[in-house]
């Protein structure tokens, strides 16, 4: 067995045949020969966390996609950057020798400040499967609002630590729906390719796919989609496909094939820690303070902004409050994190000149989940890769794109499982609740119904054709639809509304938004490639004109 604790990319390199430049359409993506940019972490000494009284040229709030792009490009332009991250560094193995725990055996590392897991798929065979854990600053936050639970990554790397790695460029014909105020030519000619290169996106080897037992579930998905006349295709991913092939062959330590995903991947996934953040650190100009949470950003008397930061321990308690001065601040705390900060700062009079678009335009990317019960002659496999590689596209006709998702429980379930992205038109708004001192979101569970209807355009037809039914035991007792959650929060500080067309916050020179909160609620596919590409576009303009 070859162990590779630094991650799969370091093991065998990144094969050029599997690299895609991101200009292709969703299905049938062309494999292009492109440059390989999966930077390996350089031997940069760990810098001290930020200290009270520090004065930094640029402070970035959050270390997800938007924040990492901003930090790398600013550093390459010669500007020192300090990144503040409320979650942990996730660079030190636990007592089991691994940094991350698996979905099959969640421990305290799994959830952000919970005493019980809150698994997205929380029932099996009709029984609840959540279990007690110790309260800890774990990696996955299941943040509850009144009508929806929003799942988010916590730690250096943000959502890249916990997500499925599906790296999808929207079809060009849908782009005006995704980002109506952005020129598609510049995105598809320059920024999508740049984002795909920076993220290390690749596609599965189609010949290997046919023989891999871990992707039997995808082949069953293809068969059923095809028999009902739906286009099925491979979906790019940031997982190291060479490492995946070795996992299947049993020559390396398993990660995707060992149930690792929601609470982190120990080996093959190229999270931001291995790509943008590694490159950013290697410039020597980027410092990161984990377990630090920004509480306030206020105009400073002599110019710039006073940033108040709570230092946390692993129990989530504030152990220290720090105040620093920043010439410029980039909000990259994710759609929910950035929206909550801005809504609070406007409502409490700290940043009163922010405009009335703050907090608006929030969407769930139309996420709904469901499972189907197959016949006994259609097993989906007891060994399933946690990394999805394919999807069913019915966006134009029915408003749904559905990834063929794994159900990696370690036994044969005869189930097909899907996460659908739908064109659900509902949008919610964040608002300040003075009574509770918290930010609310007015999404209602019933607002998922348009998304369910769109997903049904695919699965009602497949069920009718196959003579199969929906699973009713995965989200409760006789409950078909996973309609209580989203993995893809978007909006709340929408581009060209709450900000100008490059993310500059209206009313406050030197304050910028550069994450998923800029996107008005839906990307038609999985969102992180678009978040990354938009950040690449905006930071290039900001560096050229503001700095
Ligand atoms: P994000 O990556 O969330 O980063 C924000 C960071 O800011 C986080 O690290 C926070 O901890 C930190 N933060 C928040 N508030 C503060 C504060 N006050 N002070 C300091 N730090 C703070 O933002 N997308 C795909 O495209 N493909 C997938 O396959 C996929 N699968 C997913 C699966 C799961 C389970 C989840 C949860 C998400 C998935 N996503 C997927 C969504 C994707 O990860 C998400 O859109 C991006 O991570 C959002 O990027 P941002 O830069 O906006």
């Amino acid at each position: 067995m070859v162990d590779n604790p630094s991650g799969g990319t370091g093991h065998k390199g990144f094969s050029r045949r599997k690299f895609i430049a991101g200009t292709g359409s969703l299905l049938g993506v062309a494999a292009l020969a492109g440059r390989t940019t999966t930077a390996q972490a350089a031997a940069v000494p760990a810098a001290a966390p930020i200290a009270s009284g520090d004065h930094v040229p640029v402070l970035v709030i959050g270390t997800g996609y938007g924040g990492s792009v901003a930090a790398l490009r600013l550093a390459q332009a010669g500007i020192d950057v300090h990144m503040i991250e409320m979650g942990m560094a996730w660079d030190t193995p636990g007592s089991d020798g691994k940094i991350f725990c698996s979905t099959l055996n969640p421990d305290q590392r799994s959830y952000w400040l919970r005493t019980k897991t809150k698994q997205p798929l929380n029932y099996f065979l009709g029984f609840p499967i959540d279990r007690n854990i110790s309260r800890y600053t774990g990696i996955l936050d299941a943040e509850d609002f009144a009508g929806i639970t929003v799942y988010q990554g916590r730690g250096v790397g943000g959502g890249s630590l916990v997500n499925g790695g599906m790296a999808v460029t929207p079809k060009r014909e849908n782009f005006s729906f995704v980002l109506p105020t952005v020129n598609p030519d510049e995105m598809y000619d320059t920024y999508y390719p740049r984002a795909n290169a920076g993220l290390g996106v690749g596609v599965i080897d189609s010949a290997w796919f046919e023989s891999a037992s871990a992707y039997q579930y995808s082949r069953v998905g293809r068969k059923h989609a095809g028999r009902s006349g739906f286009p099925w295709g491979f979906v790019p991913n940031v997982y190291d496909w060479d490492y995946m092939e070795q996992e299947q062959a049993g020559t390396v330590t398993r990660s995707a094939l060992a149930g690792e995903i929601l609470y982190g991947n120990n080996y093959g996934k190229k999270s931001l820690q291995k790509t943008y953040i590694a490159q950013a650190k290697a410039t020597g100009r980027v410092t990161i303070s984990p377990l630090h949470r920004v509480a306030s950003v206020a105009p400073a008397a002599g110019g710039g902004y006073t940033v108040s930061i709570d230092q946390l321990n692993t129990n989530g308690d504030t152990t220290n409050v720090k105040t620093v001065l920043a010439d410029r601040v980039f909000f990259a705390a994710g759609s929910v994190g950035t929206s909550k900060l801005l809504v609070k700062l406007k409502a409490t009079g700290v940043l009163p000149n922010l405009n009335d678009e703050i907090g608006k335009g929030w969407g769930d990317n139309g996420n709904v989940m469901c499972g189907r019960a197959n016949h006994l002659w259609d097993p989906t496999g007891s060994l399933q890769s946690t990394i999805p590689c394919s999807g069913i596209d019915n966006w134009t006709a029915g408003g749904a794109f559905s990834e063929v998702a794994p159900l990696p429980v370690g036994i044969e379930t005869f189930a097909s499982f899907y996460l659908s992205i739908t064109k659900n038109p509902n949008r919610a708004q964040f608002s300040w609740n003075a009574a509770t001192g918290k930010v609310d979101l007015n999404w209602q569970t019933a607002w998922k119904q348009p998304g369910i209807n769109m997903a049904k355009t695919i699965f009602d037809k497949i069920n009718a054709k196959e003579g199969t039914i929906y699973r009713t035991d995965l989200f409760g007792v006789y409950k078909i639809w996973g309609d209580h959650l989203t993995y893809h929060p978007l909006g709340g500080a929408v581009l060209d509304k709450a900000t100008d067309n490059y993310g500059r916050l209206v009313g406050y020179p030197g304050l910028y938004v550069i994450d998923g909160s800029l996107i008005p609620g839906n990307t038609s596919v999985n969102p992180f490639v678009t978040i990354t590409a938009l950040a690449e576009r905006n930071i290039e303009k900001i560096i050229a004109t503001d700095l």
Side-chain angles (χ1 to χ4, degrees):
M1 297 279 273
V2 179
D3 204 339
N4 181 16
S6 68
T9 55
H11 179 69
K12 205 182 155 189
F14 185 51
S15 119
R16 290 165 72 89
R17 83 197 141 94
K18 290 177 188 166
F19 174 84
I20 67 130
T23 52
S25 67
L26 171 61
L27 299 169
V29 178
L32 304 178
R35 63 195 164 103
T36 298
T37 59
T38 47
Q40 297 305 298
V44 179
I50 204 157
S52 251
D54 280 357
H55 179 179
V56 296
V58 170
L59 185 138
V60 176
I61 309 171
T63 57
Y65 293 92
S68 300
V69 170
L72 173 61
R73 301 308 175 201
L74 287 161
Q76 287 175 333
I79 298 157
D80 288 340
V81 177
H82 203 113
M83 304 179 83
I84 308 293
E85 170 55 54
M86 67 189 271
M88 306 206 327
W90 298 111
D91 57 2
T92 310
S95 56
D96 59 357
K98 300 213 165 176
I99 293 176
F100 306 111
C101 65
S102 109
T103 51
L104 300 172
N105 193 17
D107 59 26
Q108 62 172 11
R109 290 170 288 185
S110 58
Y111 281 86
W112 179 257
L113 304 179
R114 279 186 178 271
T115 52
K116 193 171 188 181
T117 63
K118 184 152 182 163
Q119 309 203 47
L121 196 152
N122 52 344
Y123 277 73
F124 192 63
L125 302 175
F127 292 99
I129 55 172
D130 280 313
R131 61 160 80 173
N132 294 333
I133 49 172
S134 307
R135 181 183 161 91
Y136 190 68
T137 45
I139 199 164
L140 184 63
D141 194 353
E143 190 169 359
D144 290 321
F145 292 96
I148 194 165
T149 300
V150 184
Y151 284 87
Q152 297 151 89
R154 294 278 174 250
V156 174
S160 78
L161 296 166
V162 299
N163 67 32
M166 294 186 76
V168 195
T169 300
K171 280 182 173 171
R172 193 173 172 136
E173 70 217 49
N174 297 328
F175 185 76
S176 62
F177 162 77
V178 176
L179 280 167
T181 65
V182 175
N183 176 357
D185 290 341
E186 60 179 18
M187 291 296 281
Y188 286 84
D189 293 348
T190 304
Y191 302 110
Y192 274 122
R194 188 175 295 172
N196 278 288
L199 294 165
V201 176
V203 282
I204 192 168
D205 182 307
S206 56
W208 177 78
F209 168 79
E210 298 298 341
S211 66
S213 64
Y215 281 107
Q216 186 175 346
Y217 73 94
S218 297
R219 295 193 295 274
V220 170
R222 174 179 62 185
K223 181 173 70 179
H224 292 171
R227 288 206 287 230
S228 287
F230 293 114
W232 171 98
F234 290 119
V235 169
N237 203 291
V238 296
Y239 206 85
D240 182 331
W241 289 109
D242 290 329
Y243 194 84
M244 185 78 80
E245 291 183 19
Q246 294 167 73
E247 287 187 47
Q248 177 79 73
T251 55
V252 295
T253 304
R254 285 180 165 176
S255 180
L257 269 53
E260 292 179 357
I261 178 82
L262 274 181
Y263 314 131
N265 276 87
N266 284 297
Y267 303 102
K269 195 170 81 182
K270 286 169 282 178
S271 69
L272 289 166
Q273 288 184 335
K274 295 179 191 165
T275 57
Y276 275 95
I277 292 175
Q279 280 194 45
K281 281 183 173 170
T283 65
R285 291 193 174 276
V286 176
T287 314
I288 305 177
S289 291
L291 285 175
H292 282 63
R293 182 170 55 204
V294 170
S296 176
V297 178
Y305 294 89
T306 303
V307 183
S308 174
I309 304 168
D310 297 335
Q311 184 170 4
L312 309 176
N313 63 19
T314 55
N315 199 34
D317 309 314
T318 299
T319 55
N320 196 2
V321 177
K322 301 179 178 178
T323 305
V324 304
L325 181 65
D327 298 335
R328 293 165 200 279
V329 177
F330 285 77
F331 288 81
S335 161
V336 174
T338 292
S339 301
K340 286 199 307 188
L341 273 172
L342 292 174
V343 163
K344 176 182 165 192
L345 296 174
K346 177 173 167 60
T348 55
V350 179
L351 296 175
N353 299 336
L354 292 175
N355 72 20
D356 290 339
E357 293 289 339
I358 295 293
K360 292 183 181 169
W362 186 87
D364 67 340
N365 209 26
N367 280 189
V368 286
M369 292 179 179
C370 69
R372 292 179 40 256
N374 292 318
H375 295 295
L376 291 181
W377 57 84
D378 255 347
T380 46
S382 56
L383 175 69
Q384 300 197 2
S385 171
T386 56
I387 296 295
C389 72
S390 68
I392 302 168
D393 186 9
N394 196 36
W395 188 262
T396 306
F401 162 65
S402 301
E403 56 184 70
V404 180
L407 206 52
V409 292
I411 55 168
E412 177 57 58
T413 62
F414 300 96
S416 287
F417 190 59
Y418 308 90
L419 168 62
S420 298
I421 293 157
T422 67
K423 209 173 179 179
N424 188 334
N426 286 313
R427 295 293 178 271
Q429 183 175 351
F430 292 95
S431 60
W432 176 243
N433 185 333
T436 60
K438 288 187 173 160
V439 175
D440 295 334
L441 179 67
N442 69 348
W443 183 272
Q444 297 169 30
T445 308
W447 292 3
K448 287 279 191 184
Q449 194 58 47
I452 291 173
N453 296 345
M454 291 168 188
K456 279 162 70 75
T457 65
I458 296 177
F459 303 114
D460 279 2
K461 189 169 177 189
I462 289 180
N463 277 337
K465 179 79 184 172
E466 301 297 326
T468 52
I469 56 171
Y470 288 103
R471 289 287 286 236
T472 57
D473 62 322
L474 302 176
F475 302 102
V477 180
Y478 207 81
K479 181 163 168 44
I480 292 175
W481 293 96
D483 60 355
H484 57 298
L485 57 79
T486 187
Y487 285 173
H488 300 164
L490 294 166
V494 169
L495 190 75
D496 212 30
K497 290 188 170 174
T499 71
D500 77 353
N501 207 20
Y502 289 91
R504 301 178 183 97
L505 271 163
V506 176
Y508 292 97
L511 294 190
Y512 307 89
V513 175
I514 192 151
D515 60 17
S517 52
L518 292 171
I519 296 174
N522 200 300
T523 51
S524 76
V525 290
N526 314 60
F528 74 62
V529 173
T530 296
I531 294 170
T532 305
L534 183 65
E536 289 279 18
R537 166 192 179 268
N538 292 356
I539 199 67
E540 187 173 271
K541 175 66 113 189
I542 289 163
I543 289 170
T545 57
D546 296 17
L547 293 159

